[in-house]
Amino acid sequence: MSEIITAEKMVAGGDCIGTLNGKKVFIPFAIPGEKLEVEITNEQRDYCNCSIVKVLESSPHRVMPFCPLFEKCGGCNMQHIDAGYQRELRKNILLDAFVHEDVDVPEIEIIHGDDKGYRSRFQFHNGGLMGKRSNDIISLTNCPCATSEINHYLEEVPFEQRPEGRIHVFGSDKISNIPDEFDKLVIAENTESERHEKKFTRHQQKTTASGRKLKKQKQIKARYEGTTISAATACQVELLGKKLNFDVQGFFQSNLEVLEKSIPLVTGGIEGKNVLDMYSGCGTFSVFLADHFEKVTMVEHNKSAIVFAEQNMAGKRHESFGLSGEVWTKYHAENTIKAGGTFDAVVIDPPRSGMEKEVCQWLQKSGIPHIRSVSCDIATHARDAKFLTRAGYRLEKLYLLDFYPQTGHIESLAIFEK
């Protein structure tokens, strides 16, 4: 049985909500203000999920999706909305998250790039992408949101010939350790059977998509015990004149255009003797912070990422800790400050779960004058902002970092001053 509903607003994740019989209803692929005929697909005590049967009154921002796999593929969920309005919706969702935590928010600035052809990092499963809300494998030969290097791979390698299991693929014209224009691609295979046999086995195909043999790369020596570094999965990109090394099976931003626009906002306008890069990863921000500070201290629990950070920071005065933020704040922060002096600024880029409680508490008491906080989860970012503002910090600026156009995923940068 179908129902008539009006989409009221968009919420985190990209669904709209409406109300039926006093219950909230989540409506995928809707736009605020639209009148819709829907069918309830799942009913819970406090809310319902539905699907659109027919758009009765369409939003002026509704457009024809440009990808034939839209609504089937598990990637995009906002292609039905014009790009400019998408950004406004994501900005409003970010604002709502901070307001919900009673944080005073300045005007949000949006940092964005191209709306298509931007994504340089993919995980393919058995040669394709996962279906939306399912384990179905979607076969594809082109993704409009992918870089040309990724699409070159999809076009050249038939679906049936792609590796089974999960593979990590990174392709961009900014890759600097592969010379060929059309083969700027690094692939790491990690099949289901291999993951069971040896959790951290890493491989790369021995040839590029067009069959060219890959040049053997110098083996990377792990500084920290327990790291699993392979030169076969190492990738190097050049951003804003600096070369950054990382492992394609680890984390690195997918949208390099927006990353280049974001780096100066995160690392610029601060300087001094000491800076802390908490959750530093491979040192993406650290290499730029080193231009403004005498010493950079990096803390990162992923020891393999720290090995690449050491490589990226070679020749720059720094100290690194392959530890969680909790352990560092408990057992090393005080000694680090005693030995080198107080921190003039901190850049913090935690995982989706946000700052560890111990890290947030340490920051509240630290008195560090400048905090640049990057986040991939608006709820935990707003929560952490609440604690910092209660400790006497002002939220001076808030940016929507629009790394993932056509999706409901939101990343943000908050600048706090003491």
Side-chain angles (χ1 to χ4, degrees), residues 111 172-176 236-244 252 255-268 283-289 291-292 316 403:
I111 308 302
S172 169
D173 61 0
K174 294 186 181 296
I175 292 178
S176 54
Q236 182 184 83
V237 294
E238 185 169 340
L239 301 177
L240 302 176
K242 297 185 185 294
K243 292 183 178 180
L244 292 161
F252 200 82
N255 189 329
L256 299 188
E257 179 187 7
V258 174
L259 179 57
E260 285 193 311
K261 292 180 178 181
S262 302
I263 286 171
L265 300 174
V266 177
T267 64
T284 302
F285 296 132
S286 289
V287 296
F288 294 93
L289 290 168
D291 292 339
H292 308 292
K316 304 176 188 298
F403 281 106

Side-chain angles (χ1 to χ4, degrees), residues 74-259:
C76 300
N77 64 341
M78 293 180 73
Q79 280 187 25
H80 61 293
I81 309 172
D82 73 67
Y85 191 54
Q86 280 187 40
R87 291 192 286 270
E88 287 301 314
L89 290 171
R90 288 190 285 271
K91 183 177 82 169
N92 290 336
I93 294 169
L94 175 60
L95 174 63
D96 286 346
F98 276 69
V99 170
H100 179 73
E101 296 289 358
D102 293 323
V103 177
D104 290 332
V105 183
E107 179 63 30
I108 298 173
E109 185 175 340
I110 303 174
I111 308 302
H112 69 92
D114 290 339
D115 301 308
K116 302 176 187 176
Y118 67 86
R119 191 179 181 107
S120 58
R121 183 169 62 90
F122 277 76
Q123 287 187 39
F124 293 115
H125 300 263
N126 293 331
L129 295 173
M130 300 293 288
K132 189 170 292 296
R133 296 185 177 92
S134 78
N135 292 322
D136 296 339
I137 302 299
I138 306 297
S139 170
L140 73 165
T141 57
N142 180 275
C143 172
C145 290
T147 61
S148 59
E149 290 76 18
I150 297 287
N151 279 324
H152 183 64
Y153 167 76
L154 293 174
E155 292 160 5
E156 291 291 320
V157 181
F159 176 73
E160 299 78 11
Q161 295 179 21
R162 296 172 197 163
E164 294 183 359
R166 182 178 62 178
I167 65 170
H168 299 254
V169 182
F170 194 96
S172 169
D173 61 0
K174 294 186 181 296
I175 292 178
S176 54
N177 60 333
I178 299 176
D180 290 0
E181 180 181 357
F182 294 110
D183 283 326
K184 288 185 175 293
L185 194 79
V186 178
I187 300 176
E189 297 181 28
N190 189 6
T191 65
E192 294 294 334
S193 60
E194 286 167 344
R195 287 207 301 278
H196 287 298
E197 292 170 8
K198 190 173 182 181
K199 186 175 180 183
F200 295 111
T201 299
R202 288 181 170 125
H203 301 287
Q204 184 190 27
Q205 63 176 30
K206 295 180 180 179
T207 60
T208 65
S210 60
R212 178 182 60 81
K213 287 187 177 181
L214 288 168
K215 183 179 179 181
K216 189 174 181 180
Q217 299 177 24
K218 186 178 179 181
Q219 184 66 38
I220 300 169
K221 293 182 179 180
R223 171 185 168 187
Y224 290 96
E225 183 181 354
T227 58
T228 50
I229 299 298
S230 169
T233 59
C235 184
Q236 182 184 83
V237 294
E238 185 169 340
L239 301 177
L240 302 176
K242 297 185 185 294
K243 292 183 178 180
L244 292 161
N245 299 278
F246 62 96
D247 190 311
V248 297
Q249 287 195 311
F251 175 76
F252 200 82
Q253 271 294 352
S254 302
N255 189 329
L256 299 188
E257 179 187 7
V258 174
L259 179 57

Side-chain angles (χ1 to χ4, degrees), residues 4-35:
I4 307 301
I5 193 171
T6 298
E8 296 167 10
K9 67 182 293 186
M10 183 169 284
V11 295
D15 288 353
C16 284
I17 56 170
T19 305
L20 278 177
N21 304 319
K23 279 188 179 181
K24 283 187 178 180
V25 181
F26 290 88
I27 320 166
F29 309 115
I31 305 175
E34 289 188 323
K35 187 176 181 181

